[in-house]
mmCIF file of all heavy atoms in Angstrom:
data_model
loop_
_atom_site.group_PDB
_atom_site.id
_atom_site.type_symbol
_atom_site.label_atom_id
_atom_site.label_comp_id
_atom_site.label_asym_id
_atom_site.label_seq_id
_atom_site.Cartn_x
_atom_site.Cartn_y
_atom_site.Cartn_z
ATOM 1 N N LEU A 204 -20.781 -2.757 21.572
ATOM 2 C CA LEU A 204 -21.408 -2.236 20.363
ATOM 3 C C LEU A 204 -20.506 -1.147 19.790
ATOM 4 O O LEU A 204 -20.247 -0.139 20.454
ATOM 5 C CB LEU A 204 -22.788 -1.645 20.672
ATOM 6 C CG LEU A 204 -23.877 -2.631 21.112
ATOM 7 C CD1 LEU A 204 -25.125 -1.872 21.549
ATOM 8 C CD2 LEU A 204 -24.211 -3.593 19.986
ATOM 9 N N ALA A 205 -19.995 -1.376 18.581
ATOM 10 C CA ALA A 205 -19.159 -0.378 17.928
ATOM 11 C C ALA A 205 -20.034 0.639 17.211
ATOM 12 O O ALA A 205 -21.037 0.285 16.586
ATOM 13 C CB ALA A 205 -18.200 -1.045 16.945
ATOM 14 N N ALA A 206 -19.640 1.920 17.302
ATOM 15 C CA ALA A 206 -20.424 2.967 16.651
ATOM 16 C C ALA A 206 -20.369 2.843 15.137
ATOM 17 O O ALA A 206 -21.345 3.139 14.448
ATOM 18 C CB ALA A 206 -19.916 4.342 17.087
ATOM 19 N N HIS A 207 -19.214 2.379 14.610
ATOM 20 C CA HIS A 207 -19.070 2.221 13.167
ATOM 21 C C HIS A 207 -19.343 0.768 12.804
ATOM 22 O O HIS A 207 -18.807 -0.154 13.425
ATOM 23 C CB HIS A 207 -17.668 2.627 12.720
ATOM 24 C CG HIS A 207 -17.357 4.066 13.029
ATOM 25 N ND1 HIS A 207 -17.949 5.106 12.358
ATOM 26 C CD2 HIS A 207 -16.548 4.615 13.960
ATOM 27 C CE1 HIS A 207 -17.498 6.257 12.844
ATOM 28 N NE2 HIS A 207 -16.651 5.989 13.812
ATOM 29 N N GLU A 208 -20.151 0.575 11.792
ATOM 30 C CA GLU A 208 -20.635 -0.764 11.438
ATOM 31 C C GLU A 208 -19.507 -1.737 11.143
ATOM 32 O O GLU A 208 -19.559 -2.910 11.487
ATOM 33 C CB GLU A 208 -21.562 -0.667 10.223
ATOM 34 C CG GLU A 208 -22.224 -1.972 9.845
ATOM 35 C CD GLU A 208 -23.189 -1.797 8.693
ATOM 36 O OE1 GLU A 208 -23.454 -0.655 8.293
ATOM 37 O OE2 GLU A 208 -23.685 -2.821 8.203
ATOM 38 N N GLN A 209 -18.422 -1.264 10.493
ATOM 39 C CA GLN A 209 -17.346 -2.161 10.101
ATOM 40 C C GLN A 209 -16.336 -2.390 11.213
ATOM 41 O O GLN A 209 -15.431 -3.204 11.070
ATOM 42 C CB GLN A 209 -16.621 -1.597 8.863
ATOM 43 C CG GLN A 209 -17.529 -1.403 7.663
ATOM 44 C CD GLN A 209 -18.175 -2.695 7.214
ATOM 45 O OE1 GLN A 209 -17.610 -3.778 7.359
ATOM 46 N NE2 GLN A 209 -19.379 -2.589 6.661
ATOM 47 N N ALA A 210 -16.462 -1.631 12.312
ATOM 48 C CA ALA A 210 -15.492 -1.765 13.397
ATOM 49 C C ALA A 210 -15.880 -2.918 14.313
ATOM 50 O O ALA A 210 -17.041 -3.191 14.538
ATOM 51 C CB ALA A 210 -15.403 -0.475 14.187
ATOM 52 N N GLN A 211 -14.884 -3.588 14.841
ATOM 53 C CA GLN A 211 -15.109 -4.656 15.803
ATOM 54 C C GLN A 211 -14.757 -4.206 17.223
ATOM 55 O O GLN A 211 -15.246 -4.762 18.191
ATOM 56 C CB GLN A 211 -14.247 -5.873 15.441
ATOM 57 C CG GLN A 211 -14.561 -6.483 14.095
ATOM 58 C CD GLN A 211 -15.806 -7.314 14.118
ATOM 59 O OE1 GLN A 211 -16.183 -7.810 15.166
ATOM 60 N NE2 GLN A 211 -16.451 -7.483 12.992
ATOM 61 N N ILE A 212 -13.885 -3.231 17.321
ATOM 62 C CA ILE A 212 -13.358 -2.849 18.609
ATOM 63 C C ILE A 212 -12.946 -1.387 18.553
ATOM 64 O O ILE A 212 -12.618 -0.862 17.488
ATOM 65 C CB ILE A 212 -12.150 -3.754 18.974
ATOM 66 C CG1 ILE A 212 -11.633 -3.451 20.374
ATOM 67 C CG2 ILE A 212 -11.043 -3.627 17.957
ATOM 68 C CD1 ILE A 212 -10.556 -4.403 20.837
ATOM 69 N N GLY A 213 -12.997 -0.718 19.679
ATOM 70 C CA GLY A 213 -12.612 0.685 19.732
ATOM 71 C C GLY A 213 -11.963 1.016 21.052
ATOM 72 O O GLY A 213 -11.116 0.274 21.543
ATOM 73 N N GLY A 214 -12.388 2.125 21.679
ATOM 74 C CA GLY A 214 -11.745 2.574 22.903
ATOM 75 C C GLY A 214 -12.402 2.103 24.177
ATOM 76 O O GLY A 214 -11.879 2.354 25.270
ATOM 77 N N ASP A 215 -13.557 1.454 24.118
ATOM 78 C CA ASP A 215 -14.181 0.902 25.321
ATOM 79 C C ASP A 215 -13.502 -0.413 25.693
ATOM 80 O O ASP A 215 -13.017 -1.146 24.820
ATOM 81 C CB ASP A 215 -15.670 0.675 25.104
ATOM 82 C CG ASP A 215 -16.444 1.988 25.028
ATOM 83 O OD1 ASP A 215 -15.795 3.051 25.063
ATOM 84 O OD2 ASP A 215 -17.674 1.944 24.919
ATOM 85 N N LEU A 216 -13.487 -0.720 26.984
ATOM 86 C CA LEU A 216 -12.764 -1.914 27.437
ATOM 87 C C LEU A 216 -13.420 -2.481 28.686
ATOM 88 O O LEU A 216 -14.113 -1.774 29.423
ATOM 89 C CB LEU A 216 -11.299 -1.558 27.723
ATOM 90 C CG LEU A 216 -11.066 -0.458 28.770
ATOM 91 C CD1 LEU A 216 -10.783 -1.036 30.155
ATOM 92 C CD2 LEU A 216 -9.921 0.440 28.346
ATOM 93 N N TYR A 217 -13.195 -3.770 28.901
ATOM 94 C CA TYR A 217 -13.602 -4.408 30.144
ATOM 95 C C TYR A 217 -12.791 -5.694 30.315
ATOM 96 O O TYR A 217 -12.280 -6.259 29.346
ATOM 97 C CB TYR A 217 -15.104 -4.717 30.177
ATOM 98 C CG TYR A 217 -15.642 -5.445 28.963
ATOM 99 C CD1 TYR A 217 -15.432 -6.811 28.789
ATOM 100 C CD2 TYR A 217 -16.383 -4.772 28.005
ATOM 101 C CE1 TYR A 217 -15.929 -7.476 27.683
ATOM 102 C CE2 TYR A 217 -16.883 -5.417 26.901
ATOM 103 C CZ TYR A 217 -16.663 -6.773 26.742
ATOM 104 O OH TYR A 217 -17.152 -7.424 25.640
ATOM 105 N N ALA A 218 -12.653 -6.130 31.550
ATOM 106 C CA ALA A 218 -11.904 -7.361 31.841
ATOM 107 C C ALA A 218 -12.246 -7.812 33.247
ATOM 108 O O ALA A 218 -12.701 -7.026 34.086
ATOM 109 C CB ALA A 218 -10.394 -7.132 31.697
ATOM 110 N N ALA A 219 -12.023 -9.097 33.498
ATOM 111 C CA ALA A 219 -12.211 -9.687 34.822
ATOM 112 C C ALA A 219 -11.008 -10.564 35.139
ATOM 113 O O ALA A 219 -10.521 -11.287 34.272
ATOM 114 C CB ALA A 219 -13.501 -10.505 34.875
#
Side-chain angles (χ1 to χ4, degrees):
L204 293 173
H207 299 289
E208 185 177 352
Q209 301 300 329
Q211 298 283 335
I212 184 174
D215 289 4
L216 58 96
Y217 50 77

